């Protein structure tokens, strides 16, 4: 009896070192401009080529501006990194989606939407949120720069086999509760270290009922509880999403692929190293109050009191609240905010924009709020325009920006100023994550929309 993880892992083992790591074959390698330059420099120094160039795809996303992309990037470091990525792609004959390329976008958005991401694959990228691709029934995980070099040179990687965990979400989601709320609830219950050393399979009625984009959101946040990655067994929802995409199998190859993909599920009676079950009826729209994704609560909840925090965690808890300007026992509903960010590899897809737009339709953006609405790719932006969502957003006082990682992290022009509060649909609320001194409150697209219209944290 094998778990889904076991089936995919075992099919990709090249060799095993006795009492050591596994040499694992990698099907798809994704690269962006921040974690790849030293890796390419390394293979140049060794006099090597990229071993299987057709299995490596490059895109610029972290450093790029989200306005005026037809002009040179102003920041010299960012410009150099993007130019270096373009040169590496050219020198080694790799597929590269640079600025203004119609396939450009955030690396974890363009993989699925172009059909690169498929069930049963092993997928790596020098980026922790590579776990996003696990939504398709793939083993997908982030790697370090030295490992990026290893994959470029050999299409393999040395990895220690992780333990397995299954997290079951049972029941039906309540009104206004999203996959982002499921993830923030899960991390608040398990803590940011609760899945360290595990690869997580998400299962249960609520997971089966999620769309592919919602599954991507859930898997994206696996890393925020310490997991090596997360995955969902592929089903008809998965196959329907992939079918017809540019790099998906076609004709007889499609039929053969689906026949294999249908075998990718954990066997009845397969044993996991750990199993957890959540009743989704208990999940409400969530927000964070601290400086890690595990410090989450229902939007109408209260920040824990000091006597509710165990002794070992009190110092970091108080430090976190001091940074955020919050107090133990405080309610955040009704708290005035300054910025709203819709985007990132967590919530920058078309369904996220539909949810946001549906809420703000016929309303107006609050005057005290600066809103950055950033599609995850040019394809997402094109779909936003095709559906007329951009017109509704404009009428409500919002401006649609160009694709990129944007305000998820302070590596481009979209930085939240020190001391300002940002309701963000991204994945991390660490100190300085969105800019030096910026205060981040993580939430889903619907909660972000309500905050943008009301100018304060508001239950949708």
């Amino acid at each position: 009896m094998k778990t889904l993880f076991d089936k995919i892992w075992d099919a990709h083992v090249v060799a095993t070192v006795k009492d050591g790591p596994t040499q694992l074959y990698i099907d798809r390698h994704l690269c962006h401009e921040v974690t790849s330059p030293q890796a390419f420099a390394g293979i140049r120094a060794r006099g090597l080529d990229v071993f299987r160039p057709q299995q490596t795809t490059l895109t610029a996303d972290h450093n790029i501006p989200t306005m005026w992309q037809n002009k040179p990037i102003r920041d010299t470091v960012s410009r150099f990194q993007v130019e270096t990525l373009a040169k590496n792609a050219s020198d080694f004959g790799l597929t590269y989606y640079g600025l203004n390329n119609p396939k450009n976008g955030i690396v974890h958005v363009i993989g699925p939407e172009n059909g690169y991401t498929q069930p049963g694959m092993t997928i790596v990228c020098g980026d922790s949120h590579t776990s996003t691709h696990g939504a398709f029934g793939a083993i997908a995980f982030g790697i370090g720069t030295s490992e990026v070099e290893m994959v470029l040179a050999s299409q393999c990687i040395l990895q220690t086999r992780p333990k397995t965990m299954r997290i079951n979400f049972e029941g039906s989601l309540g009104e206004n509760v999203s996959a982002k709320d499921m993830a923030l609830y899960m991390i608040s219950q398990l803590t940011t270290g609760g899945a360290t050393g595990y690869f997580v399979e998400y299962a249960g009625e609520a997971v089966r009922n999620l769309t592919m984009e919602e599954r991507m959101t859930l898997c994206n946040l696996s890393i925020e509880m310490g997991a090596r990655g997360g995955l969902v067994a592929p089903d008809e929802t998965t196959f329907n999403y992939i079918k017809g995409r540019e790099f998906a199998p076609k004709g007889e190859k499609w039929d053969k692929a689906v026949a294999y993909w249908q075998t990718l599920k954990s066997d009845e009676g397969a044993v996991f190293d750990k199993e957890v079950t959540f009743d989704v009826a208990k999940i409400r729209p969530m927000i964070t109050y601290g400086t890690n994704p595990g410090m989450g609560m229902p939007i109408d909840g209260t920040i824990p009191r000091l006597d509710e925090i165990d002794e070992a965690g009190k110092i970091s808890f108080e430090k976190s609240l001091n940074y955020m300007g919050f107090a133990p026992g405080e309610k955040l509903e009704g708290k005035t905010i300054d910025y709203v960010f819709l985007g990132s590899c967590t919530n920058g897809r078309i369904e996220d924009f539909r949810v946001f737009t549906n809420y703000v339709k016929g309303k107006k953006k609050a005057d005290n709020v600066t809103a950055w609405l950033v599609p995850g790719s040019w394809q997402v932006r094109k779909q936003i325009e095709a559906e007329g969502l951009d017109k509704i957003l404009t009428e409500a006082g919002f401006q649609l920006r160009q694709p990129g990682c944007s305000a998820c992290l302070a590596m481009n022009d979209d930085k939240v100023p020190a001391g300002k509060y940002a309701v963000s649909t991204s994945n991390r609320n660490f100190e300085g994550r969105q800019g030096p001194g910026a205060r981040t409150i993580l939430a889903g697209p619907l909660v972000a929309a309500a905050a943008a219209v009301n100018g304060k944290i508001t239950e949708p």
Side-chain angles (χ1 to χ4, degrees), residues 314-351:
K314 280 184 179 176
I315 292 175
S316 61
F317 175 76
E318 289 184 285
K319 180 175 180 287
S320 179
L321 291 193
N322 285 337
Y323 179 86
M324 293 298 293
F326 297 151
E330 184 180 356
K331 286 182 74 72
L332 295 187
E333 193 176 6
K335 177 84 176 175
T336 300
I337 55 101
D338 308 291
Y339 283 76
V340 165
F341 170 51
L342 174 66
S344 84
C345 60
T346 312
N347 285 123
R349 298 176 179 83
I350 186 62
E351 288 179 8

Side-chain angles (χ1 to χ4, degrees), residues 353-366 388-398 449 452-454:
F353 277 83
R354 288 173 185 154
V355 168
F356 190 98
T357 306
N358 188 54
Y359 183 90
V360 305
K361 186 176 183 179
K363 304 181 179 76
K364 288 288 182 185
K365 180 183 74 67
L389 304 184
D390 56 325
K391 292 183 176 63
I392 296 170
L393 291 168
T394 300
E395 286 169 9
F398 295 92
V453 166
N454 295 287

Side-chain angles (χ1 to χ4, degrees), residues 256-310:
K256 188 176 178 182
V258 171
Y260 168 58
W261 295 345
Q262 287 172 333
T263 70
L264 295 175
K265 53 190 173 187
S266 291
D267 294 329
E268 196 73 39
V271 177
F272 292 79
D273 295 301
K274 187 174 182 180
E275 192 143 6
V276 178
T277 299
F278 294 117
D279 175 5
V280 299
K282 296 178 179 177
I283 303 176
R284 305 257 300 107
M286 298 283 291
I287 53 170
T288 58
Y289 58 84
T291 54
N292 71 59
M295 300 177 81
M297 66 181 190
I299 194 168
D300 59 352
T302 55
I303 296 172
R305 299 186 307 272
L306 208 53
D307 59 11
E308 296 175 279
I309 304 298
D310 62 64

Side-chain angles (χ1 to χ4, degrees), residues 4 8 11-12 27 118-122 136-139 234 260-261 264:
L4 169 58
I8 302 171
H12 289 81
D27 293 308
Q118 296 170 25
M121 281 185 165
T122 49
F136 290 80
I139 290 181
Y260 168 58
W261 295 345
L264 295 175

Side-chain angles (χ1 to χ4, degrees), residues 78-154:
S78 294
R79 186 170 67 249
F80 180 69
Q81 285 195 320
V82 172
E83 288 172 349
T84 300
L85 186 70
K87 185 179 188 313
N88 286 328
S90 176
D91 288 354
F92 291 99
L94 304 173
T95 300
Y96 171 55
Y97 302 136
L99 281 178
N100 299 306
N101 186 301
K103 291 194 184 73
N104 173 257
I106 302 173
V107 66
H108 309 310
V109 176
I110 68 162
E113 72 183 6
N114 287 297
Y116 284 121
T117 304
Q118 296 170 25
M121 281 185 165
T122 49
I123 301 171
V124 296
C125 175
D127 189 281
S128 57
H129 294 104
T130 308
S131 55
T132 308
H133 305 264
F136 290 80
I139 290 181
F141 54 92
I143 56 177
T145 298
S146 60
E147 294 171 312
V148 171
E149 182 179 343
M150 192 186 302
V151 177
L152 289 172
S154 68

Side-chain angles (χ1 to χ4, degrees), residues 173 178-179 182 205-212 214-215 218 237:
L173 290 176
S178 68
M182 290 169 67
E205 179 190 357
V207 173
R208 291 191 296 274
N209 288 335
L210 294 177
T211 65
M212 280 314 302
E214 290 170 327
R215 294 178 190 185
L218 182 61
T237 300

Side-chain angles (χ1 to χ4, degrees), residues 426-443:
S426 54
N427 39 55
R428 286 182 173 160
N429 51 343
F430 304 153
E431 290 187 17
R433 171 74 175 182
Q434 292 193 286
R439 294 161 164 173
T440 301
I441 297 159
L442 297 178

